[in-house]
């Protein structure tokens, strides 16, 4: 076997929020492939990093009251923990906000410029006069110039699907401050992407991309490429363009360069790795990118063009995964199917998800549905009912009758040979990223193994003689079939494999170990390797997702739109008896404090005055007013509480009511009573 040198990268998660199950699809796919390559004995390095630049991160850090550097460091630690919990085994998990990335971004830019592929010209953009910054399309809303729909973003209309320039919006306003933006000119820098059209037409058809992706790119190439704006104006969190004060690299310029920077950092700690061996123009190493289909244009058009003109090698392969739906629909906060990695792992084994994804993944960028009922059934049937069941059925007889010693001669050599021969076909399927086909073949073997044990019924023979040679041979063959299944599943289920290796009393399994069998070998006592998925745990996870993801929008104020200027329609009329059920009370804020991990919430302790027995009444509520108020500014103020609202269990604690506020974004206003009102007074 020729030993391959492979560098694998995953798309960089944005450092502006937690990892969810939709993200994990692509990372689990890449990790399975990497683990398979390592089992084959190849040198396979696996790197990733947080995408840590941009206006959104700058604004989020500002809202949190910390520096962008502190903000991204905190998110980076959270991301690393999530990936580790799902057994995604990076050699390094870095950040695009690194000195290595700064240097490489400057180098590539200077080479592009020296080769005549950087142009500059003045453009007119919308500018927020209150915030003092230019606005990208996502920070502008207004009325669609085509259908006149309200509250549409600055690039396309979600009502009529029209595309337009932000400057075409009617009555535009900034989603950051609510101010009406003005037009302002600024010099920007562009990468001359159209000059690479002929090269990209050839490169995208070179086999580097899946055919469906290449077909989509050909549509864009035939319609004509545009120059790519690679600059942004201050204020901006990122790298300043060399020699251009106040101008910064657009986040998507330095993001893919983060692959190179992460690997360069890894090389510093590994004597066996050399940066140029993997990134030089004439490199014989392989470079694999695993990405989602929403970022194809950056990786398959802009990125190879930049690499070409700057003298670096292009990717060997770009593997593209589709989007994740849950129960046949787009992931939804209201339905509790927008599930964070952290929420999932509180209820379920991460390897359940790894297996389910593998059972449905192929090399094509098809969307995948996580059907939660099918998820429960498939994991319980395949992993618990078939694979682990083999070991649990056979191990007891080996220990009880033979002191844990496997037979020197095994039964059913034909079945064992068939199982061993599967290694070649399964290796081909793993290599081709046809994981679902590999899983089907593995489960076919599991079915045959279980049928063999059922047919031989060693429990019947053991009743007559627990030390019968045939019992030892049958169960030893079963244990060997289990071991082969674990070899084949190890890229998908590394934790199960590790536990199985302990049970089998063997070193870490490699792919070539399928050619050998365990005979006259002593195994350890069997311990439960995997438990069934309980439906109530899945339901609890969904409910927890509803709470943790919706409460920041629902729990606390009347915020309903992205715009502080937008007006909600009047709600449906109710009868007076319905309104009379609402108990509104004056409350004094004793203390307000930040909630760790929450983007919008403050934790507020309230004084409701004495009850009828003279005992002081207090309540704790979580309120989504963090963007408008600092905790210290709220102490001692009076507000209005919905006092008889049923307490709600949230991710961060129990909210015992709701305080009233109106508005949106930074324009949230706490409802306050007239001077003289006292805590505990009922509003009538």
């Amino acid at each position: 076997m020729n030993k391959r040198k492979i560098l694998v990268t995953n798309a960089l998660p944005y450092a502006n929020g937690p990892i969810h199950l939709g993200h994990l699809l692509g990372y689990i796919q890449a990790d399975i492939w990497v683990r398979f390559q390592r089992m084959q004995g190849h040198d396979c390095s696996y790197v990733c990093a947080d995408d840590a630049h941009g206006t959104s991160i700058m604004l989020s850090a500002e809202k949190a009251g910390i520096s962008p550097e502190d903000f991204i460091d905190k998110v980076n630690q959270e991301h690393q923990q999530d990936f580790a919990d799902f057994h995604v085994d990076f050699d390094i998990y870095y950040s695009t906000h690194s000195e290595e990335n700064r240097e490489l971004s400057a180098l590539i830019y200077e080479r592009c410029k020296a080769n005549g592929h950087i142009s500059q010209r003045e453009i007119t953009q919308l500018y927020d006069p209150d915030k003092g910054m230019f606005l990208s399309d996502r920070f502008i809303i207004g009325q669609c110039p085509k259908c006149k729909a309200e509250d549409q973003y600055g690039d396309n209309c979600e009502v009529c699907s029209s595309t337009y320039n932000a400057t075409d919006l009617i009555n535009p306003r900034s989603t950051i401050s609510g101010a009406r933006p003005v037009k302002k000119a600024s010099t920007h820098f562009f990468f001359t992407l159209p000059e690479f059209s002929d090269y990209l037409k050839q490169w995208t058809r070179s086999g580097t991309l899946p055919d469906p992706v290449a077909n989509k790119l050909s549509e864009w190439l035939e319609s004509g490429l545009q120059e790519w704006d690679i600059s942004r104006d201050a204020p901006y969190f990122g790298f300043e363009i060399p020699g251009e004060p106040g101008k910064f690299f657009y986040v998507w310029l330095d993001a893919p360069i983060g692959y190179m920077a992460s690997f360069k950092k890894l090389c510093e700690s590994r004597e066996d790795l050399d940066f140029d061996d993997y990134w030089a123009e004439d490199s014989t190493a392989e470079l694999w990118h695993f990405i989602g289909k929403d970022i194809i244009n950056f990786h398959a058009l802009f990125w190879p063009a930049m690499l070409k003109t700057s003298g670096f090698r292009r990717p060997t392969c770009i593997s593209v995964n589709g989007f994740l739906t849950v129960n046949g629909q787009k992931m939804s906060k209201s339905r509790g199917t927008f599930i964070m990695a952290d929420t999932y792992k509180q209820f379920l084994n991460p390897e359940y998800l790894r297996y389910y994804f593998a059972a449905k993944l192929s090399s094509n960028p098809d969307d995948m549905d996580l059907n939660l009922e099918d998820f429960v059934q498939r994991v319980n049937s395949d992993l618990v009912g078939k694979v682990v069941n083999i070991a649990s059925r056979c191990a007891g007889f080996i220990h009880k009758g033979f002191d844990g010693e496997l037979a020197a001669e095994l039964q059913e050599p034909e079945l064992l040979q068939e199982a061993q021969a599967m290694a070649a076909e399964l290796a081909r399927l793993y290599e081709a990223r046809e994981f679902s086909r590999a899983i089907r073949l593995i489960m076919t073997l599991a079915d045959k193994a279980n049928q063999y044990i059922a047919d031989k019924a060693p429990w019947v023979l053991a009743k007559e003689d627990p030390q019968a040679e045939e019992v030892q041979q049958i169960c030893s063959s079963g244990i060997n079939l289990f071991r082969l299944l674990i070899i084949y599943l190890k890229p998908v289920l590394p934790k199960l494999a590790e536990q199985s290796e302990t049970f089998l009393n063997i070193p870490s399994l490699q792919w070539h170990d399928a050619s050998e069998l365990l005979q006259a070998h002593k195994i350890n006592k069997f311990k439960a390797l995997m438990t069934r998925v309980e439906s109530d745990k899945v339901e609890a996870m969904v409910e927890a997702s509803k709470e943790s993801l919706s409460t920041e929008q629902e729990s606390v104020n009347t915020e309903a739109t992205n715009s502080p200027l937008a007006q909600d329609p009047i709600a449906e009329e109710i009868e007076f008896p319905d309104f009379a059920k609402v108990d509104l009370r004056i409350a004094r804020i004793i203390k307000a404090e930040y909630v760790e991990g929450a983007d919008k919430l403050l934790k507020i302790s309230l004084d409701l005055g004495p009850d009828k027995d003279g005992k002081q009444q207090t309540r704790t509520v979580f309120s989504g007013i963090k963007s408008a108020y600092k905790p210290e500014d709220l102490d001692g103020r009076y507000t209005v509480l919905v006092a008889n609202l049923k307490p709600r269990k949230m991710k961060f604690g129990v909210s015992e009511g709701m305080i009233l506020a109106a508005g949106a974004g930074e324009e949230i206003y706490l409802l306050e009573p007239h001077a003289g009102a006292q805590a505990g007074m009922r509003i009538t």
Side-chain angles (χ1 to χ4, degrees), residues 98 122 224 310 360 368 377:
S98 68
E122 192 174 84
S310 58
K360 302 188 80 173
M368 179 190 295
Q377 189 278 328

Side-chain angles (χ1 to χ4, degrees), residues 473-493:
Q473 290 179 343
I474 293 168
C475 292
S476 296
S477 293
I479 293 294
N480 270 280
L481 288 166
F482 169 77
R483 172 179 168 275
L484 289 167
L485 288 167
I486 292 299
I487 292 174
Y488 301 150
L489 286 169
K490 186 174 181 178
V492 179
L493 304 170

Side-chain angles (χ1 to χ4, degrees), residues 37 149 228 231 312 382 390 483 496 545:
Q37 299 299 340
W228 179 37
S231 63
F312 291 104
D382 289 2
I390 298 170
R483 172 179 168 275
L496 176 62
S545 297

Side-chain angles (χ1 to χ4, degrees), residues 21-36:
L21 300 196
H23 291 134
L24 284 172
L25 177 61
Y27 299 99
I28 288 173
Q29 181 184 32
D31 182 77
I32 291 171
W33 195 78
V34 168
R35 288 179 181 275
F36 165 71

Side-chain angles (χ1 to χ4, degrees), residues 30-74:
D31 182 77
I32 291 171
W33 195 78
V34 168
R35 288 179 181 275
F36 165 71
Q37 299 299 340
R38 289 170 175 169
M39 285 185 72
Q40 290 268 294
H42 300 306
D43 289 334
C44 190
S45 300
Y46 185 23
V47 306
C48 195
D50 272 345
D51 183 1
H53 289 155
T55 302
S56 295
I57 286 172
M58 178 182 73
L59 294 174
S60 294
E62 182 181 302
K63 183 184 293 186
I66 59 178
S67 69
E69 290 82 1
D70 288 342
F71 182 86
I72 62 174
D73 284 348
K74 181 176 182 294

Side-chain angles (χ1 to χ4, degrees), residues 599-618:
D599 292 335
K600 298 183 179 182
L601 298 179
L602 292 180
K603 180 180 179 181
I604 299 178
S605 300
L606 299 168
D607 171 19
L608 284 177
D611 62 14
K612 63 181 181 179
D613 298 321
K615 186 178 180 181
Q616 204 68 16
Q617 302 177 90
T618 60

